[in-house]
Amino acid sequence: CVSVCVCVCVCHLARLPFVAMAERYAIRTGAPAEGARVPELVKKRIASDAALAEEKEKALVAKEKLLAEQREALKKRTAEYEKEYADHKQQLIDLRREAKLGGNFFVEPEAKLLFVIRIVGIIKLAPKPRKVLQLLRLRQLHNGVFLKVNKPILQMLKLVQPYVTYGYPSLKTVRELLYKRGYAKVNKQRIPISDNSVISSSLGEKQGLHGMEDLVHEIYTVGPNFKQANNFLWPFKLSAP
């Protein structure tokens, strides 16, 4: 009875698509002794194992090819991002020089990104500021989050101004925060971003973000997928000054 169940399960697995599961599971490779009588169920199991092993090999090759393509594409996008940052920086320098030569004042462009840190605990905290801090995902002392600069966010920050500190992060700050303190929220769990696959599995299909530099660019430039990218990040847990 047990042998029949095992054989049925193996045969059922053999019909499943290999991309979803084959490359994750170990497959038995043992063969019966030469000249030994082999029962019919064992023959079926051996045939199923061979089919699964072939599918697993195909899945591994397909996955390696996909990862190689994603790495190459990420390298190209990273070079494009660096050029974009350098061009923007040089453009600001040129505009400042031009204004200075003409005897005018150069008005710096308005910041689009905020980084907010909670500096007060929960003792003697009124209900309204407590609720606003929860909406901003600042539930613990020394938590930090990225926020998009707009009118509702600025009004919420006015309500909790005694309890937070905030500023406009540079590219270097954003990059260091994500690389050194970045954690992802995957299935409501705090997962370290130790590999680009963590980002790609959550943001790759819909948002087109497959690596850390994609995430840095989306956060720093406040791109069209900023909301999804920011919600993917767990609130930063910072050390006390």
Side-chain angles (χ1 to χ4, degrees):
C1 182
V2 174
S3 301
V4 173
C5 292
V6 170
C7 183
V8 170
C9 291
V10 170
C11 292
H12 176 66
L13 287 174
R15 292 193 294 269
L16 293 177
F18 67 87
V19 175
M21 53 70 65
E23 52 110 19
R24 292 178 53 198
Y25 294 93
I27 298 172
R28 290 171 295 194
T29 57
E34 187 177 352
R37 289 186 58 190
V38 181
E40 191 66 28
L41 288 176
V42 176
K43 289 181 180 179
K44 290 182 179 180
R45 177 178 62 78
I46 293 173
S48 298
D49 288 346
L52 281 175
E54 184 180 354
E55 290 179 358
K56 180 177 180 179
E57 187 66 27
K58 291 180 182 178
L60 287 173
V61 171
K63 185 176 181 180
E64 288 176 2
K65 183 179 178 182
L66 179 62
L67 289 176
E69 291 175 355
Q70 288 182 353
R71 280 196 298 270
E72 283 299 317
L74 183 59
K75 286 180 182 178
K76 292 181 181 178
R77 289 197 303 273
T78 302
E80 292 173 1
Y81 297 153
E82 292 297 332
K83 186 176 184 301
E84 179 184 339
Y85 301 144
D87 291 346
H88 179 67
K89 186 177 180 180
Q90 188 61 44
Q91 183 184 10
L92 291 178
I93 292 173
D94 293 341
L95 289 173
R96 292 190 192 101
R97 287 175 179 169
E98 184 180 345
K100 187 176 181 180
L101 290 173
N104 299 319
F105 292 100
F106 175 69
V107 180
E108 297 287 341
E110 293 186 3
K112 299 185 290 183
L113 182 66
L114 278 170
F115 187 69
V116 186
I117 304 173
R118 180 169 176 171
I119 57 173
V120 175
I122 61 172
I123 298 176
K124 295 183 180 179
L125 192 63
K128 192 169 185 179
R130 186 196 299 263
K131 183 63 177 177
V132 172
L133 289 171
Q134 289 179 358
L135 292 174
L136 295 176
R137 302 196 300 157
L138 298 171
R139 296 177 177 270
Q140 295 178 341
L141 184 63
H142 300 138
N143 270 12
V145 292
F146 290 111
L147 295 175
K148 184 178 181 179
V149 177
N150 53 34
K151 188 175 180 180
I153 290 295
L154 294 177
Q155 289 177 342
M156 292 172 74
L157 288 177
K158 285 182 180 178
L159 294 174
V160 295
Q161 199 160 6
Y163 314 108
V164 299
T165 183
Y166 56 89
Y168 306 107
S170 63
L171 173 62
K172 180 183 177 183
T173 303
V174 173
R175 186 171 278 154
E176 287 185 352
L177 278 169
L178 289 175
Y179 273 99
K180 295 182 179 180
R181 299 274 182 162
Y183 281 79
K185 182 169 63 177
V186 180
N187 296 328
K188 299 182 180 180
Q189 294 181 335
R190 185 171 181 258
I191 306 297
I193 307 177
S194 57
D195 191 0
N196 286 334
S197 61
V198 178
I199 301 171
S200 183
S201 61
S202 298
L203 301 174
E205 185 176 352
K206 293 183 179 179
Q207 284 73 40
L209 305 178
H210 294 281
M212 185 64 85
E213 286 301 323
D214 288 338
L215 190 60
V216 170
H217 180 265
E218 193 69 25
I219 294 293
Y220 179 66
T221 60
V222 190
N225 297 312
F226 174 81
K227 181 179 179 182
Q228 292 82 355
N230 196 31
N231 287 337
F232 166 75
L233 293 172
W234 196 277
F236 295 91
K237 294 188 176 184
L238 306 176
S239 302

